[in-house]
């Protein structure tokens, strides 16, 4: 039976890498898929992983009807055996509904990949709808790590290395971008609550002791 599967996890846990691997495995067996993505770090119409792998994809623009796109492709004689959706958290809830229709009406497996919560620990609307509709939810087993070495469970937005908790829900940045720009970092819950990023922790470690230490 075809399924709508939601692969979720924090940043840096290998979601895009797994999406590329699923596509590779199926194409090696002669299957043809459609890859949708939104706001990938590599640019419009790209699916990329942090390991440096990139493939072409269809940009799932706001307002685009994903079900209608696939129906049109099939009606023109195109072959579609499965669907991959990366950065699914950025999709609108109605687009997630359209993916469910793709499974139910067109009989295609849909593999959606995304993070569940934003930098404020609030659910993305697309991820919330996936949790509500998915046949299966798979948490990726490659655990991202906080700077302290603990398992990272939260995504943080940073500006100049400092964590921020206000602003638009979707602002494209990168975990490897310059510190002065908008970036993202994964943190454990404790350090997310304390707003302590790797940069601020390093600065605190380098600061002088509050009480001076004098020799004997």
């Amino acid at each position: 039976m075809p399924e709508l599967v939601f692969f979720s996890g924090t940043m840096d846990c290998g979601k895009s890498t797994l999406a590329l691997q699923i596509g590779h495995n199926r194409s090696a067996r002669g299957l043809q898929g459609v890859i949708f993505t939104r706001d990938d770090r590599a640019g419009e119409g790209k699916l990329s992983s942090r390991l440096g792998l990139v493939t072409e994809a269809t940009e799932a623009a706001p307002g685009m009807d994903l079900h209608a796109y696939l129906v049109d492709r099939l009606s023109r004689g195109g072959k579609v055996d499965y669907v991959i959706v990366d950065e699914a958290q950025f999709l609108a809830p109605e687009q997630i509904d359209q993916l469910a229709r793709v499974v139910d009406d067109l009989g295609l497996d849909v593999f959606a990949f995304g993070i569940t919560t934003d930098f404020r620990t609030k659910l993305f609307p697309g991820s919330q709808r996936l949790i509500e509709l998915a046949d299966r939810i798979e948490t990726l087993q490659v655990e991202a790590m906080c700077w302290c070495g603990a398992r990272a469970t939260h995504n943080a937005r940073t500006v100049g290395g400092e964590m921020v908790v206000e602003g638009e829900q979707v602002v494209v940045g990168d975990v490897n971008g310059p510190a002065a720009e908008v970036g993202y970092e994964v943190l454990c819950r404790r350090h997310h609550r304390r707003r302590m990023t790797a940069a601020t922790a390093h600065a605190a470690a380098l600061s002088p002791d509050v009480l001076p230490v004098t020799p004997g």
Side-chain angles (χ1 to χ4, degrees), residues 126-164:
S127 298
Q128 178 177 336
R129 194 61 178 146
L130 274 166
I131 291 169
E132 293 165 348
L133 292 182
D135 296 295
R136 282 193 293 128
I137 300 173
E138 300 282 351
T139 302
L140 295 209
Q141 299 304 308
V142 177
E143 294 184 350
M145 296 180 66
C146 178
W147 59 264
C148 69
R151 177 174 175 262
T153 54
H154 291 66
N155 305 300
R157 179 182 294 169
T158 60
V159 177
E162 302 234 351
M163 180 175 157
V164 295

Side-chain angles (χ1 to χ4, degrees), residues 78-203:
K79 183 181 180 184
V80 181
D81 297 305
Y82 62 92
V83 177
I84 290 173
V85 185
D86 198 31
E87 307 293 0
Q89 72 273 6
F90 295 146
L91 299 186
E94 57 267 26
Q95 290 177 309
I96 304 302
D97 288 339
Q98 293 158 14
L99 293 176
R101 287 187 61 200
V102 168
V103 176
D104 297 339
D105 298 350
L106 304 182
L108 302 177
D109 283 315
V110 175
F111 306 101
F113 299 80
I115 59 179
T116 52
T117 57
D118 63 16
F119 69 105
R120 302 165 299 182
T121 71
K122 304 296 183 182
L123 283 170
F124 282 99
S127 298
Q128 178 177 336
R129 194 61 178 146
L130 274 166
I131 291 169
E132 293 165 348
L133 292 182
D135 296 295
R136 282 193 293 128
I137 300 173
E138 300 282 351
T139 302
L140 295 209
Q141 299 304 308
V142 177
E143 294 184 350
M145 296 180 66
C146 178
W147 59 264
C148 69
R151 177 174 175 262
T153 54
H154 291 66
N155 305 300
R157 179 182 294 169
T158 60
V159 177
E162 302 234 351
M163 180 175 157
V164 295
V165 294
E166 295 182 353
E168 295 292 330
Q169 186 175 52
V170 178
V171 175
V172 177
D174 195 356
V175 296
N176 297 316
E181 299 179 1
V182 174
Y184 290 91
E185 183 175 343
V186 288
L187 300 172
C188 63
R189 186 181 63 223
R190 179 177 63 168
H191 288 126
H192 191 279
R193 290 179 60 246
R194 296 178 179 178
R195 303 187 189 181
M196 186 174 287
T197 66
T200 55
H202 180 67

